[in-house]
Amino acid sequence: MKLKIITILVLLIVGLSIFVSGCTDSGDSRDNENTGQETEMSGADESITVAVSVVPQAEFVEKVGGDKVKTVVIIPPGADPHTYELSPKEVQEISKASMLVTVGVGMPFEEVWVNKFETMNSGTLIVNCSKGLELKELEEHDYEEEEGEHDEESGEEHEELDTHIWTSPANAKIMVEDIYEGLVELDPENEAYYTQNRDAYLEELDALDTRIREKLEGKEEKNFMVYHPSWGYFAADYELNMISVEIEGKEPSAQDLAKLVDLAKEKNVKVIFVQSQFSTRSAEVLAQEIDGEVVAVDPLAKNYVENMDNVSDIFARNLV
């Protein structure tokens, strides 16, 4: 009798253990399924990392991509795009990018990064923002044309394309379209979201263009002088004449400065526009010689629409 009771108790304990074990496994399985769902959802919510060459492009990407993108700027605010060297930390950040947005013309560091991504076979999408644009050559001064003719006879070519394509709101619209196409290619499920954002920002750029034209309308003086030739596309859009003190990092000689003084007086120029990324010494010397002044404008500011409004205000006040 006692043996039967003990046997029954053992069987009950074993059965209870199996039942509890089954419930635990089932719970673990459900937990694992939930964890998997949470991981997938987390992955779906991750933003797309987009590397851009210069600061203004960051606004273009963020306006189209909204909360679905994270931008990394290769050339930070205040740095000279022609000489800036990346830190190891910056290199690491850029290497994570799913999309690289280049200016696409005249920037050697871009070729380095395109080659790096292609060598790594990273699958990074390269978006060339100069695609579809009419590119301009950097304009030479009148006194440099004669030297250019001499160099041409010797077989040397000095033609150089203007890299500052974003200073034209019309160009900015095309750049935004290129960025939009890239984001849709990477993330087609959110095409409607990107389309809505793109359309809203293109309206902002159209309104900006209208405001600039109104500000510059009726100005008799169309000539302006800059230290670094950043505003060629802007000048072309609004029928202005840009005269540069230096071209692609070349400081003017004393002889060049003397010729620039004569040119400024001939064109009735009273303001030399400069930017923080470059030395202002030559511009200040030139301004003193023409009894003018130096005024700072920044083509590389991030808040593109706001900055272009401010810049056009400055131009309108000085092109009397």
Side-chain angles (χ1 to χ4, degrees):
M1 184 68 179
K2 288 182 179 180
L3 183 59
K4 285 184 178 180
I5 294 173
I6 291 171
T7 302
I8 292 169
L9 287 172
V10 169
L11 290 172
L12 286 171
I13 291 170
V14 171
L16 183 61
S17 297
I18 292 171
F19 176 78
V20 171
S21 175
C23 291
T24 304
D25 290 343
S26 176
D28 289 344
S29 176
R30 284 194 299 269
D31 289 343
N32 288 337
E33 288 175 4
N34 290 337
T35 302
Q37 289 174 358
E38 288 171 4
T39 301
E40 289 176 7
M41 289 176 65
S42 175
D45 289 341
E46 286 183 2
S47 57
I48 300 171
T49 298
V50 181
V52 300
S53 292
V54 292
V55 179
Q57 290 173 307
E59 175 167 314
F60 302 162
V61 172
E62 290 163 5
K63 285 288 188 177
V64 177
D67 58 8
K68 301 189 184 301
V69 299
K70 171 191 172 186
T71 55
V72 179
V73 181
I74 297 177
I75 305 299
D80 179 355
H82 303 91
T83 59
Y84 184 75
E85 294 185 7
L86 296 169
S87 69
K89 183 179 179 182
E90 289 169 325
V91 170
Q92 186 179 13
E93 283 296 310
I94 296 164
S95 298
K96 299 175 185 176
S98 300
M99 187 165 104
L100 171 63
V101 179
T102 69
V103 171
V105 53
M107 291 191 169
F109 75 86
E110 289 187 341
E111 294 179 8
V112 171
W113 273 104
V114 169
N115 291 336
K116 281 190 184 222
F117 279 125
E118 289 176 347
T119 301
M120 291 186 296
N121 195 25
S122 62
T124 301
L125 178 65
I126 311 297
V127 173
N128 180 352
C129 272
S130 67
K131 183 182 71 175
L133 297 182
E134 184 178 345
L135 300 176
K136 289 174 52 63
E137 292 178 6
L138 287 171
E139 295 181 4
E140 297 180 332
H141 303 310
D142 294 341
Y143 59 83
E144 289 175 329
E145 289 176 0
E146 297 175 3
E147 297 172 3
E149 289 174 5
H150 176 73
D151 291 340
E152 187 177 346
E153 290 175 3
S154 63
E156 297 179 15
E157 294 184 2
H158 294 283
E159 293 179 354
E160 195 164 3
L161 292 175
D162 188 346
T163 62
H164 310 88
I165 56 176
W166 61 89
T167 58
S168 153
N171 284 357
K173 289 178 62 178
I174 296 174
M175 296 169 74
V176 167
E177 289 282 3
D178 292 335
I179 290 165
Y180 162 79
E181 290 174 7
L183 288 174
V184 170
E185 182 175 339
L186 280 180
D187 185 20
E189 291 182 0
N190 288 302
E191 180 177 358
Y193 176 78
Y194 299 134
T195 301
Q196 182 179 9
N197 291 347
R198 176 205 61 185
D199 292 346
Y201 190 53
L202 290 178
E203 287 183 6
E204 285 188 54
L205 293 174
D206 282 334
L208 170 66
D209 176 64
T210 299
R211 290 194 299 273
I212 293 175
R213 292 187 185 281
E214 288 174 351
K215 293 172 189 176
L216 298 176
E217 187 178 5
K219 300 296 180 183
E220 292 184 8
E221 296 299 334
K222 299 293 186 179
N223 301 294
F224 68 97
M225 190 169 280
V226 294
Y227 177 76
H228 184 71
S230 304
W231 300 96
Y233 292 98
F234 180 91
D237 270 9
Y238 303 109
E239 299 180 349
L240 305 177
N241 179 38
M242 181 184 72
I243 305 166
S244 65
V245 175
E246 62 92 68
I247 295 180
E248 293 306 308
K250 297 176 183 177
E251 280 275 356
S253 65
Q255 183 180 9
D256 290 337
L257 275 174
K259 291 176 179 177
L260 281 167
V261 169
D262 292 340
L263 187 59
K265 290 179 178 178
E266 176 190 337
K267 303 293 186 182
N268 198 28
V269 171
K270 290 297 181 182
V271 175
I272 316 296
F273 294 103
V274 297
Q275 61 190 85
S276 61
Q277 295 83 9
F278 299 93
S279 167
T280 61
R281 184 177 57 84
S282 296
E284 289 167 354
V285 170
L286 184 57
Q288 288 177 355
E289 292 296 323
I290 63 173
D291 194 24
E293 62 178 325
V294 171
V295 175
V297 289
D298 187 4
L300 290 168
K302 180 179 179 181
N303 298 320
Y304 180 79
V305 172
E306 179 183 346
N307 182 59
M308 291 298 286
D309 266 323
N310 292 336
V311 168
S312 57
D313 283 340
I314 293 170
F315 275 98
R317 286 197 299 269
N318 289 285
L319 294 175
V320 294

